[in-house]
Amino acid sequence: MATYPSPFRSTLLSTLLLATSLATSIATFLWPATTLAAQSPSQLPITSSGDDLPVPGNNPITYCADPADYILTINRIDIDPNPPSPGKNLTVSFSGNLGSDVTAGAYAHLMVKYGYITLIRQTVDLCEQAEESVDLECPIDKGDVKITKTVDLTDKIPPGKYTVTADAYTADDESITCLVAVVSF
């Protein structure tokens, strides 16, 4: 399975694990590697693109499909600051409920795009990423999950539109969740 540099791994988990209730990261995963650029102080907070399925909270994340079909119920994902600022800390807070245990063999398909260019398309071991990024060990028991993760964003984020997709599954191929985040710098 792929191993990501520390800033991306933390951000990925802030989104994937946020997304997978293990997260932050997915929301834990996304932000450092996908949000690197200069910002105008007058920029408004980033929210979901207005698509039908926004994830609750102060974030730019949407579901890939009807969340009723996922074993992870996301109560809220908040990012602070929103929008993220290069060279600053980013805090991702996640709360949700996992409807089934997540055991060894769980995985996630990740894709990061810069505009129309695919930068990363990988399948990762969800348990390995959860342990390395947010100190959760498999099995992750069903029930309520709360995670807060702070990551340092580099000040060298190229301007542009970043799209991150995290599609997570149990070892038995049950859909944990699927999330998409879009951030422009």
Side-chain angles (χ1 to χ4, degrees), residues 4-18 23-33 92 129 132-134 149-152:
Y4 293 97
S6 181
F8 181 75
R9 188 173 55 239
S10 296
T11 299
L12 169 64
L13 256 141
S14 292
T15 294
L16 176 58
L17 292 186
L18 287 178
T24 46
S25 350
I26 343 269
T28 88
F29 312 149
L30 299 176
W31 308 119
V92 180
Q129 294 296 314
E132 291 176 13
S133 299
V134 292
K149 177 76 176 181
T150 299
V151 295
D152 295 325

Side-chain angles (χ1 to χ4, degrees), residues 110-169:
L110 304 176
M111 184 168 49
V112 178
K113 288 186 169 191
Y114 175 71
Y116 293 106
I117 300 168
T118 299
L119 300 175
I120 296 172
R121 183 179 303 200
Q122 301 250 339
T123 298
V124 299
D125 182 308
L126 198 54
C127 291
E128 182 180 296
Q129 294 296 314
E131 186 172 342
E132 291 176 13
S133 299
V134 292
D135 298 325
L136 288 178
E137 293 183 18
C138 284
I140 300 169
D141 297 331
K142 71 179 182 178
D144 291 337
V145 178
K146 289 186 180 187
I147 298 170
T148 298
K149 177 76 176 181
T150 299
V151 295
D152 295 325
L153 297 181
T154 179
D155 60 355
K156 307 213 180 335
I157 299 173
K161 177 181 174 183
Y162 294 84
T163 304
V164 180
T165 303
D167 193 4
Y169 295 88

Side-chain angles (χ1 to χ4, degrees), residues 1 3 14 19 28 33 38-39 42 44 58 75 80 83 88-89 94 96 102 114 134 136 146 150 152 165 171:
M1 295 276 159
T3 300
S14 292
T28 88
Q39 308 246 325
S42 65
L44 297 174
N58 184 23
N75 298 329
D80 183 38
K88 307 274 184 183
N89 287 341
F94 167 85
V102 174
Y114 175 71
V134 292
L136 288 178
K146 289 186 180 187
T150 299
D152 295 325
T165 303

